[in-house]
Amino acid sequence: MPQTPHIERHFTSSEIVRDVVIGMSDGLTVPFALAAGLTGAITSTGIIVTAGLAEIAAGSIAMGLGGYLAAKSDAEHYAKEREREKREVAEIPHEEMREVAEVFQAYGLTEDETWPIVQALKRHPQNWIDFMMRFELGLEKPDPKRALISAITIASAYIAGGFVPLAPYIFARSSAVALLISVVLTLIALFVFGYVKGRFTGMKPLRSALQTALIGSVAAGAAFGIATLIGGHS
Amino acid sequence: MPQTPHIERHFTSSEIVRDVVIGMSDGLTVPFALAAGLTGAITSTGIIVTAGLAEIAAGSIAMGLGGYLAAKSDAEHYAKEREREKREVAEIPHEEMREVAEVFQAYGLTEDETWPIVQALKRHPQNWIDFMMRFELGLEKPDPKRALISAITIASAYIAGGFVPLAPYIFARSSAVALLISVVLTLIALFVFGYVKGRFTGMKPLRSALQTALIGSVAAGAAFGIATLIGGHS
């Protein structure tokens, strides 16, 4: 069975890749757009760095802690639904047998053809419950260690991404020079990140690279426009 | 069959709810934390409002446009995988039949018991392809209109959420007063939002309310701490 280990491997690596992608997409984009936007209204690089670091702290915590608690909730939701299926399999087996049959009738099997499946699942209640979780409810068993790893991965990727657009403002003398270096650096980073993301997610790498750079550019342009428009009030 | 329409309804409403939750969670949290953080370093409410609006523009575009392009990619990925399954079902049907059998053998069915399923699917190639997409690859058919609706929902929820913490800085005279009103307003909003989110997602509402308020508080506290620490440099 070459298919099963293949799927497993794909699944595990894709979860970490997915978390890095989630964190780094926003980490590269939002601090970039914020810093670029503020340059449209403020000349002090100190304030832009302060705002940028505050944003990186806020964004990484919101995404990391949010992801952690969401994963914990998913795990509890799975456990609760599994308990319910377990109870239903024990208490109203005929109803559950009908539900198994319905899953397959949707794919053109007749009631007679679903009979052996139902009977086989009945012999193994554990398998039956697992089957209902995946095929009736569409829920995958969550890995209990995922929540913490996922939170740390997302937050770290956000911080790593966020320092790319912000670094020029820390080192450059004027905000205009910093903006120029930040735009060049971040567009290169977004392009490379989009390219690598494309390779991992099965999308055309070049198209993924261009899309990722586009999102960053549009967000930064809009932030710059808004900050320039209202900047006069401050 | 009361189960099928029930699942459908649940699925559609939960997608819009999920998008509102995604947008509003970050929209309430990140601009709140950024504004609170900047108050630790800057006294001008004008600069805080500028930074806040720039962040709302950047965040809503990054999330909305990012979500739009991700949904488009998912739809293309699904179409590409479906083409491949279609080709495999036509060209190497025996390999595909073996894969169907393996899906069920994982749940304790013997090879004999999987035979009628395989035969029934063979009679309906369209159903067979759909079956492989869902049960072998675990891919759900994406709704082609989802991408745009999802993007607009996420961005709107982000903007709506972001104005709650920012409004006090627009109207209050001093940044200290604005911070106080912003903290009170946003904690109430996070609590109510978390409560409603809990009801929709099947989590205990009170626990969801407390968790949501906690994420906002920790993110805002960290942003405030960092901005206060480095604020002296500006």
Side-chain angles (χ1 to χ4, degrees):
Chain A
M1 291 192 286
Q3 200 62 31
T4 313
H6 168 75
I7 286 175
E8 286 298 317
R9 184 158 44 84
H10 174 76
F11 194 65
T12 312
S13 92
S14 84
E15 282 195 324
I16 287 178
V17 169
R18 197 201 59 190
D19 287 341
V20 170
V21 166
I22 290 172
M24 194 160 280
S25 295
D26 278 24
L28 277 170
T29 307
V30 183
F32 170 51
L34 177 68
L38 286 178
T39 314
I42 297 163
T43 50
S44 156
T45 54
I47 292 176
I48 297 170
V49 170
T50 304
L53 289 176
E55 207 288 333
I56 292 173
S60 61
I61 290 171
M63 290 194 82
L65 191 53
Y68 177 78
L69 294 172
K72 280 276 171 206
S73 297
D74 281 352
E76 280 163 26
H77 179 64
Y78 186 90
K80 207 176 79 180
E81 290 291 320
R82 202 176 189 287
E83 272 309 303
R84 202 179 67 168
E85 282 299 331
K86 195 175 163 182
R87 213 165 47 235
E88 287 177 359
V89 161
E91 289 170 9
I92 46 165
H94 289 281
E95 182 67 20
E96 291 296 298
M97 284 162 69
R98 200 177 52 77
E99 286 178 11
V100 172
E102 276 171 13
V103 167
F104 293 103
Q105 281 162 23
Y107 291 92
L109 273 76
T110 65
E111 209 166 332
D112 283 351
E113 285 163 343
T114 64
W115 183 248
I117 311 170
V118 173
Q119 291 306 314
L121 289 173
K122 241 181 103 178
R123 284 199 313 270
H124 310 281
Q126 289 302 317
N127 286 341
W128 191 3
I129 298 162
D130 287 338
F131 181 90
M132 298 304 277
M133 291 304 290
R134 170 127 189 245
F135 294 133
E136 192 208 3
L137 302 176
L139 295 174
E140 298 282 347
K141 193 182 174 75
D143 179 346
K145 281 173 292 186
R146 279 300 311 152
L148 189 61
I149 297 170
S150 176
I152 293 169
T153 310
I154 292 174
S156 308
Y158 194 99
I159 294 168
F163 269 96
V164 173
L166 210 58
Y169 290 90
I170 299 172
F171 299 111
R173 294 246 174 101
S174 84
S175 63
V177 173
L179 176 63
L180 191 69
I181 303 171
S182 178
V183 167
V184 173
L185 265 187
T186 311
L187 283 181
I188 293 171
L190 284 168
F191 197 88
V192 171
F193 166 68
Y195 194 92
V196 174
K197 185 179 82 175
R199 287 196 80 94
F200 269 106
T201 55
M203 215 179 143
K204 286 202 182 87
L206 196 65
R207 189 171 151 201
S208 170
L210 288 170
Q211 276 193 359
T212 310
L214 175 76
I215 297 172
S217 306
V218 174
F224 187 89
I226 284 177
T228 309
L229 268 176
I230 57 159
H233 297 274
S234 61
Chain B
M1 291 194 285
Q3 201 61 31
T4 313
H6 167 74
I7 287 177
E8 286 298 316
R9 186 157 43 82
H10 174 73
F11 194 64
T12 312
S13 93
S14 83
E15 282 194 325
I16 286 178
V17 168
R18 198 202 57 190
D19 288 341
V20 170
V21 166
I22 289 172
M24 195 161 279
S25 296
D26 278 23
L28 277 169
T29 308
V30 183
F32 169 51
L34 177 68
L38 286 178
T39 314
I42 296 163
T43 49
S44 156
T45 52
I47 292 176
I48 296 170
V49 170
T50 304
L53 290 177
E55 207 288 331
I56 292 173
S60 61
I61 289 171
M63 291 194 82
L65 191 53
Y68 176 79
L69 294 172
K72 281 278 172 202
S73 298
D74 281 353
E76 280 162 27
H77 180 64
Y78 186 90
K80 206 176 77 181
E81 290 291 321
R82 200 175 190 288
E83 272 309 303
R84 202 179 67 169
E85 282 299 331
K86 196 176 162 183
R87 214 166 45 234
E88 286 178 0
V89 161
E91 290 171 9
I92 45 165
H94 289 280
E95 182 67 19
E96 291 297 297
M97 283 162 69
R98 201 177 51 78
E99 286 179 12
V100 172
E102 276 171 13
V103 167
F104 294 103
Q105 282 162 21
Y107 292 91
L109 273 77
T110 65
E111 208 165 334
D112 284 351
E113 285 162 342
T114 63
W115 183 246
I117 311 170
V118 173
Q119 290 307 312
L121 289 173
K122 239 180 104 179
R123 283 197 315 270
H124 310 281
Q126 289 301 317
N127 287 339
W128 191 3
I129 297 162
D130 287 338
F131 182 90
M132 298 304 278
M133 292 304 290
R134 171 128 188 243
F135 294 133
E136 191 207 4
L137 302 175
L139 295 174
E140 298 282 346
K141 193 183 175 72
D143 180 346
K145 281 173 294 186
R146 278 302 309 152
L148 188 62
I149 297 169
S150 177
I152 293 170
T153 310
I154 292 174
S156 307
Y158 194 101
I159 294 168
F163 269 96
V164 173
L166 208 59
Y169 290 90
I170 298 173
F171 299 111
R173 295 245 175 99
S174 84
S175 63
V177 173
L179 176 62
L180 191 69
I181 303 173
S182 179
V183 167
V184 173
L185 265 186
T186 311
L187 284 181
I188 293 171
L190 284 167
F191 197 88
V192 171
F193 166 68
Y195 194 92
V196 174
K197 185 179 81 176
R199 287 195 79 94
F200 270 105
T201 55
M203 216 180 143
K204 285 202 184 87
L206 196 63
R207 191 172 149 200
S208 170
L210 288 170
Q211 277 193 358
T212 310
L214 174 76
I215 296 171
S217 306
V218 174
F224 188 89
I226 283 176
T228 309
L229 269 177
I230 57 156
H233 297 271
S234 61

